């Protein structure tokens, strides 16, 4: 099966913005598109707003409700239409493994969307697009990212890591959840989690260990949600180095003193900032070919997404 990723239609290059333009993402179109199936959505066009169309904005009324209104004529209110459309659409998006939304959009923005009061005064960049707010509430586990933030290498790598972890979990549980499947999945992901959040590494371990205390559906959702939240943290050099040292430990009986010293040195130099992550990873992979270790080789930390994306380079 192909990974399905939701995406704002304008980010995919479709001319559906209010001014008839688009916000095509080079990364999505050139690097990600060959590997996934995009599901393009333009909520504004879907509720009947034409192209081009009057600009809209988020506005907070006296009761502090957030409304989606026309910028020049706030009496034209699209909130009910947007909420009804979103409620109807969301159940059909349950198979998605991620979603790329359009930054700053009053319908699709993930954060820092301009919010206005009834008088038309800007309250600050404190809003969330109406559609995306409902999306994230309905699927709290779903990796969601904005097109603009994907220009940041660390955020881009983090988002793709979450997408592939989410998809792997969905595939693992495709024909039903079981504790055995959960244990198998967690055993492959524990070091990836450790790199992103040592605290979550311990908490998820305890959750899996006490799996029999939970209802299956509740446990499945809780694990996936907690996993996605843990992976949302950007892994630091210190945390990567810690994981690399742990993985090296599994090979200590196989490596010679010279090999141990070489790998230890590379990990240390990476931690200090002198080398990229691929340096110790490449040497570790080399030693794994020489001295096979099934448990270490199965760790998704070593290969969290397709190599051709080049995100760790």
């Amino acid at each position: 099966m192909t990974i399905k990723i939701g995406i704002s239609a304008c980010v995919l290059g479709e001319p559906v913005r209010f001014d008839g333009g688009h916000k095509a993402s080079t990364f999505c179109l050139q690097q990600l598109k060959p590997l996934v199936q995009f599901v393009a959505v333009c909520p504004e066009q879907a509720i009947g707003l034409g192209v081009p169309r009057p600009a809209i904005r988020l506005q907070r009324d006296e009761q502090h409700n957030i409304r989606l209104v026309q910028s020049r004529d706030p009496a034209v209110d699209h909130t009910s239409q947007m909420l009804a459309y979103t409620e109807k659409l969301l159940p059909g998006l349950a198979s998605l493994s991620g979603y790329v939304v359009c930054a700053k959009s009053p319908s699709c923005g993930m954060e820092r969307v301009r919010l206005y009061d009834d008088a038309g005064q800007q309250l600050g960049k404190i809003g969330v697009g109406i559609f995306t707010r409902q999306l994230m509430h309905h699927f709290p586990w779903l990796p969601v990212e904005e097109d603009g933030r994907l220009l940041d290498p660390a955020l881009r790598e983090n988002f793709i890591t979450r997408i592939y972890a989410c998809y792997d979990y969905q595939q693992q549980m495709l024909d039903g959840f079981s504790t055995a499947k959960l244990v198998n999945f967690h055993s492959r992901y524990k070091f990836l989690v450790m790199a992103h959040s040592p605290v979550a590494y311990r908490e998820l371990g305890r959750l899996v260990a006490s799996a029999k205390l939970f209802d299956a559906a509740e446990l499945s959702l809780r694990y996936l949600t907690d996993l996605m939240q843990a992976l949302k943290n950007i892994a630091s050099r210190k945390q990567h180095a810690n994981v690399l040292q742990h993985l090296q430990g599994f090979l200590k009986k196989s490596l010679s003193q010279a090999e141990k010293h070489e790998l230890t040195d590379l990990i240390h130099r990476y931690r200090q900032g002198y080398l990229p992550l691929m340096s110790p990873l490449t040497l570790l992979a080399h030693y794994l070919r020489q001295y096979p270790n099934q448990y270490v080789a199965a760790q998704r930390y070593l290969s969290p997404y397709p190599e051709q994306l080049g995100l760790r380079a």
Side-chain angles (χ1 to χ4, degrees):
M1 293 181 67
T2 304
I3 298 179
K4 291 183 180 180
I5 306 297
I7 190 169
S8 294
C10 60
V11 176
L12 201 56
E14 297 182 16
V16 294
R17 284 175 58 78
F18 75 97
D19 58 1
H22 62 76
K23 288 188 66 179
S25 163
T26 300
F27 172 72
C28 290
L29 287 171
Q30 295 184 3
Q31 292 177 260
L32 198 52
K33 190 175 181 180
L35 300 173
V36 306
Q37 177 185 338
F38 280 124
V39 178
V41 177
C42 177
E44 294 174 22
Q45 191 179 42
I47 63 172
L49 302 184
V51 180
R53 55 183 174 271
I56 56 178
R57 71 187 187 197
L58 294 180
Q59 183 168 297
R60 191 170 70 187
D61 63 23
E62 293 181 352
Q63 289 74 42
H64 284 211
N65 297 311
I66 307 300
R67 315 297 299 178
L68 186 65
V69 301
Q70 194 177 112
S71 296
R72 292 187 177 180
D73 184 5
V76 181
D77 191 326
H78 303 292
T79 311
S80 296
Q81 288 174 286
M82 184 61 73
L83 292 176
Y85 165 73
T86 304
E87 183 178 3
K88 182 179 179 180
L89 177 68
L90 288 179
L93 302 182
S95 63
L96 296 182
S97 303
Y99 208 112
V100 182
V101 297
C102 179
K104 303 177 183 179
S105 165
S107 59
C108 295
M110 184 185 78
E111 61 179 24
R112 296 178 57 78
V113 179
R114 286 187 175 89
L115 180 63
Y116 297 80
D117 63 15
D118 278 346
Q121 298 298 309
Q122 190 177 153
L123 298 173
K125 297 178 181 179
I126 57 176
V128 177
I130 294 285
F131 172 80
T132 300
R133 184 180 66 192
Q134 296 301 106
L135 174 74
M136 294 190 297
H137 176 75
H138 194 82
F139 302 117
W141 47 266
L142 184 68
V144 178
E145 192 53 274
E146 290 184 336
D147 60 319
R149 283 166 53 93
L150 291 177
L151 297 173
D152 182 299
L155 294 176
R156 183 168 63 242
E157 197 265 349
N158 181 275
F159 178 55
I160 298 302
T161 296
R162 286 185 283 141
I163 282 178
Y164 276 87
C166 183
Y167 176 73
D168 194 359
Y169 186 83
Q170 290 168 324
Q171 291 302 296
Q172 182 89 14
M173 307 302 173
L174 195 59
D175 58 352
F177 174 87
S178 74
T179 300
K181 289 181 182 179
L182 180 63
V183 171
N184 176 272
F185 179 91
H186 184 68
S187 70
R188 292 187 291 112
Y189 274 84
K190 60 193 304 182
F191 288 108
L192 183 61
V193 173
M194 180 188 286
H196 288 263
S197 174
V199 173
Y201 166 78
R202 293 188 291 271
E203 292 176 346
L204 282 171
R206 287 194 289 267
L207 180 63
V208 173
S210 58
K212 293 182 179 180
L213 301 178
F214 295 89
D215 170 76
E218 177 191 356
L219 177 59
S220 181
L221 178 59
R222 179 174 169 180
Y223 180 88
L224 179 59
T225 302
D226 290 355
L227 173 69
M228 290 296 106
Q229 188 61 41
L231 295 182
K232 200 171 182 179
N233 295 295
I234 302 295
S236 67
R237 282 182 176 266
K238 178 181 178 180
Q239 288 164 191
H240 273 302
N242 180 49
V243 169
L244 290 166
Q245 289 169 338
H246 272 81
L247 295 178
Q248 181 184 12
F250 287 96
L251 302 178
K252 63 183 179 181
K253 293 183 179 179
S254 301
L255 299 177
S256 68
Q257 283 301 114
E259 290 169 334
K260 289 177 185 176
H261 177 76
E262 184 179 20
L263 183 53
T264 298
D265 181 60
L266 279 184
I267 294 172
H268 179 64
R269 289 164 63 196
Y270 159 72
R271 181 172 180 167
Q272 289 182 310
Y274 299 131
L275 295 174
L277 179 60
M278 285 307 298
S279 293
L281 279 175
T282 300
L283 185 58
L284 181 60
H286 169 70
Y287 288 149
L288 275 174
R289 287 192 294 271
Q290 280 190 299
Y291 313 111
N293 182 298
Q294 188 175 355
Y295 178 73
V296 176
Q299 291 304 313
R300 287 308 296 265
Y301 171 80
L302 300 175
S303 170
Y305 41 74
E307 186 179 47
Q308 58 261 45
L309 286 169
L311 299 178
R312 279 180 166 175

